[in-house]
Structure formats: structure tokens, C-alpha cells
Amino acid sequence: MNEQAKPRGDILIVDDMAANLKVLSTMLTDNGYNVRPAINGSLALKAASSITPDLILLDIMMPGMDGYEVCQKLKENETTHDIPVIFISALDEVVNKVRGFEMGAVDYITKPFQMAEVVARVNTHLTIYKQRKEIEGLNAFKDLFIRTVSHDLGSPISNILGYTEMLIQDGDRLDPDYAKQMLSRISTSAERMQRLVNSMLDLTRIEGVTLRPSPLLLRDVLDGVFMEFQFPAQEKGITVRPPQNPIQAQINADPDLIGEVFQNLLSNAVKYTPANGEITINVETDSSHVFVHIDDTGYGIPEEDIPHLFERFYRVGRTEHIAQQGSGLGLSIAKLILDRHEGEIRVKSQIGQGSRFTVSLPIYDPQTAAVNL
């Protein structure tokens, strides 16, 4: 396979026999797939939860936790529920196959397997799985688009139509300064629409994308985001204080996505902190997680609003919050990304005093990660 080519899919193979793992891994790797082996059910569940595969080839007869139990636990877990599972087993009785399908498997291949058959069935079920995800994504985008048009795009569209009509009909008679004000309002409405559309596209992209995590220094992620927001903060007279302690923690994250979490949080901190305020970033760790605290001296958030902050389109209804332009999607995007990285986000806030957003992420452990190799 061309080393630069994108893998056709990520496949987790679960079998307690090393010879079977080697044969299947070699065969599927040669056919362009990224393959991860697991030698028992417990490791398989950890591997599937850590990085969600596109398909699982699962042996039934394994010591400890057999394939049926593994499949049942996969289907009970919201993160792994939709992963297609193909049983590969020497058990060829009808009752075994029926039980496999009852557990939620999409197919059943009897050992000794034929390589061409395995590849063909993998290709078929991956194609079906990806097509289903694309359809789900299109349906989700349709619902999001309809809600956005009715909920958030209606007002700026009305503004643009109204002011444009006035300029067309009365432009020759209007005071030039007043005409410029109308053009400025048209521009503001168009920018608002653009932000909304971009946020919608971000949300649907993140929902449908396959994570490509790699070990990252959290310091590098935060440094890049900090540099991005220095200038807008300075323009507003806000002081942004970076972490004072050295950050050595590594995280296992998709580099194209995880930065968006901190971009959204710092963007909100700058937006909702008045002039001469302060934003502080601090980092703490324990034995398994790293915690990033982003504190601001902003307007603060009412206690009754906090449980709704991560809902799509939700915005705090206080005057100072409504005065700031926003789509109501930034925090929902941040939470979606963190959910997919087994991370969490928490909020503490007090009106007139400011807010603290805390992001927690698992620390990258090379020994645990070896399970996924």
C-alpha cells in the first residue's frame, strides 16, 4: 500500500490465536486497511472505546470473555453501539450463527475462512456502514439547517431584504450618511449569517469525521491558541495570562479538532469580558487526567443557564450577552469534540464576577496505547 494513501478503514481484529491475528492483519493491511489486533475481549473493549474502529472482526471461542459477551457489551455502549461486527468462528451450527445475529452482528464467517471471502464481506459491510453514516449526517444537517433558517437566519435575512429594498426605492433621495448606515447594517447581517453557516458546517463536519488521534503535547496546543487570541484581547484592553507552570502532559487527540475546543472557549472569554478585564489559563494534572482552567473576569452566567450552555443554539438571555454576536453553537461544538476524546467540560460562574471553564482530558499513556497498536 502507498504509505501516503489514506487507509480504507480502521478494523479491529479480536482473536486469542496469534496465528489468526497475523493472517488476518497481513491480508487486510495488504488491501489498504488500518488494522489493530486484540488478543482477548477485555482488550478489545478498551481498544474500541479508545479509538472507535469502522468494523470489528470478532472470534467467538476465547478464554474469559467470549465473543458473544464482547458483542453484547459493544452494543450496550453508546460509543460502540453502531460499529458493525462480523463474527469469525469455527462454530458452524445454525444455532451459533443465529445467536451471533441476535447479539447484533452484521455477518458470520465460518473457519477455516477464505481470504477472498473475508475481504469481500469486509468491503461490503464497510461500504454499507459508511453510506449509512453519510445518510445520517445528511439528515442531521437537514434538521440543523431547517432549525437554523427558522431560528437564527430569519432576522438577518429580513434585515438585508428590508434595507436593500429601501436603498433600491429611495436611494437617490436618502441622506448619504443614512445610506451608509443601512449598508453597514446589511454588512453586519451578512456577517452574522456567515458565522452561523460556518458554525453549522463545523458541527456537521465534526459529527461525521473519523478521529485521527496522535500523541500531542498539550503545551503546543495551548501555545498556538494563546498566540491567536493575544491581538483581539489587546484590542479590547484585556490581559490574557498563559499557564505559569511548565506543561509536560501529553494527550492522545486529533490535532485538527482539539484546538477548536480551546479556540471556542478563549473566543467566548474575550467576547464576554469587558474592557480592562483579565483571562487566566491554568493547568493541573492528577495520575490520569490533565485539567485546563480558563478563568475570566467577565459578565458571568446565571446559575439557571449553566445546565443549558452546551445545547445547540442556546444563548444566555441577559442584555450584555445578547449584545455580543454569536451563533449559540460554539460550546456545543466544544462539548462534541471533548465527548469524542473521552474528555469533559465543567462550568462555574458568578454574575458580575466572571466564569471558570474547566476542560479535562485523559493523559496519554504509551503502555495503555499499546493495546491499540
Side-chain angles (χ1 to χ4, degrees):
M1 180 180 68
N2 185 343
E3 293 183 356
Q4 301 301 318
K6 184 178 179 179
R8 298 173 62 186
D10 184 78
I11 299 177
L12 178 65
I13 304 175
V14 189
D15 198 313
D16 63 318
M17 300 295 292
N20 288 339
L21 286 176
K22 183 176 181 180
V23 170
L24 288 168
S25 296
T26 301
M27 173 182 61
L28 291 169
T29 299
D30 289 344
N31 278 272
Y33 292 102
N34 180 58
V35 177
R36 291 181 289 146
I39 60 173
N40 59 50
S42 177
L43 292 179
L45 293 173
K46 290 179 181 178
S49 297
S50 176
I51 303 174
T52 307
D54 297 314
L55 184 142
I56 297 174
L57 293 177
L58 179 59
D59 186 28
I60 293 177
M61 297 179 65
M62 295 185 294
M65 189 185 306
D66 67 19
Y68 293 132
E69 185 178 356
V70 173
C71 189
Q72 181 179 4
K73 290 182 180 296
L74 287 169
K75 298 305 175 182
E76 290 173 349
N77 186 324
E78 185 177 349
T79 303
T80 58
H81 177 271
D82 293 329
I83 304 171
V85 175
I86 299 177
F87 279 120
I88 295 185
S89 176
L91 301 174
D92 60 356
E93 297 293 331
V94 172
V95 65
N96 304 123
K97 297 178 181 180
V98 169
R99 186 181 178 191
F101 289 120
E102 289 176 343
M103 290 290 116
V106 298
D107 210 339
Y108 193 108
I109 301 174
T110 303
K111 295 179 182 178
F113 51 79
Q114 299 295 320
M115 292 187 183
E117 178 188 10
V118 174
V119 172
R121 297 198 184 203
V122 166
N123 290 342
T124 297
H125 289 293
L126 272 180
T127 299
I128 294 171
Y129 176 67
K130 290 177 179 179
Q131 288 175 343
R132 190 181 75 219
K133 297 292 285 185
E134 288 174 1
I135 292 170
E136 290 173 357
L138 288 172
N139 287 333
F141 183 80
K142 179 196 70 176
D143 294 341
L144 179 61
F145 180 77
I146 291 171
R147 179 173 177 181
T148 302
V149 169
S150 61
H151 186 279
D152 285 280
L153 289 177
S155 177
I157 289 173
S158 295
N159 287 340
I160 291 172
L161 290 174
Y163 288 126
T164 302
E165 185 66 23
M166 290 176 65
L167 288 170
I168 292 172
Q169 291 184 357
D170 304 317
D172 294 340
R173 298 188 299 275
L174 290 175
D175 177 77
D177 289 337
Y178 184 56
K180 286 182 179 179
Q181 288 179 19
M182 282 195 278
L183 287 171
S184 176
R185 290 168 185 171
I186 290 172
S187 177
T188 299
S189 294
E191 288 173 357
R192 180 182 171 191
M193 291 171 62
Q194 184 180 46
R195 284 194 296 270
L196 280 168
V197 171
N198 287 341
S199 294
M200 289 167 56
L201 292 174
D202 279 345
L203 192 61
T204 53
R205 173 178 59 85
I206 292 163
E207 285 178 329
V209 74
T210 299
L211 288 186
R212 300 298 179 194
S214 60
L216 303 172
L217 273 174
L218 181 61
R219 178 186 63 227
D220 294 340
V221 176
L222 293 178
D223 284 350
V225 175
F226 173 74
M227 294 296 295
E228 183 177 341
F229 284 93
Q230 271 190 314
F231 181 71
Q234 288 174 356
E235 275 195 318
K236 199 173 176 181
I238 297 171
T239 301
V240 181
R241 302 188 186 281
Q244 299 301 307
N245 55 316
I247 308 168
Q248 302 302 330
Q250 275 191 316
I251 56 175
N252 193 39
D254 188 312
D256 294 330
L257 293 181
I258 201 64
E260 291 190 34
V261 172
F262 301 106
Q263 287 170 357
N264 283 333
L265 294 179
L266 273 177
S267 175
N268 280 354
V270 172
K271 184 187 300 182
Y272 296 110
T273 298
N276 302 316
E278 184 173 295
I279 298 169
T280 305
I281 307 170
N282 287 306
V283 179
E284 298 177 329
T285 60
D286 63 15
S287 59
S288 60
H289 286 76
V290 58
F291 304 90
V292 181
H293 307 291
I294 299 178
D295 295 274
D296 64 59
T297 58
Y299 303 125
I301 303 165
E303 184 176 352
E304 62 269 21
D305 287 293
I306 289 178
H308 304 287
L309 284 179
F310 302 101
E311 297 173 6
R312 295 177 184 181
F313 301 105
Y314 189 83
R315 297 199 66 197
V316 175
R318 291 176 64 89
T319 303
E320 59 268 30
H321 290 81
I322 295 298
Q324 305 299 320
Q325 295 292 331
S327 66
L329 289 173
L331 289 177
S332 62
I333 289 173
K335 186 178 185 305
L336 176 61
I337 294 172
L338 288 170
D339 287 346
R340 299 199 62 190
H341 285 84
E342 297 184 4
E344 293 183 355
I345 184 166
R346 296 188 296 275
V347 187
K348 292 182 179 179
S349 190
Q350 188 173 347
I351 292 294
Q353 300 296 315
S355 304
R356 162 175 279 199
F357 283 78
T358 298
V359 170
S360 66
L361 286 162
I363 294 175
Y364 174 69
D365 183 350
Q367 292 183 340
T368 302
V371 171
N372 300 321
L373 293 179

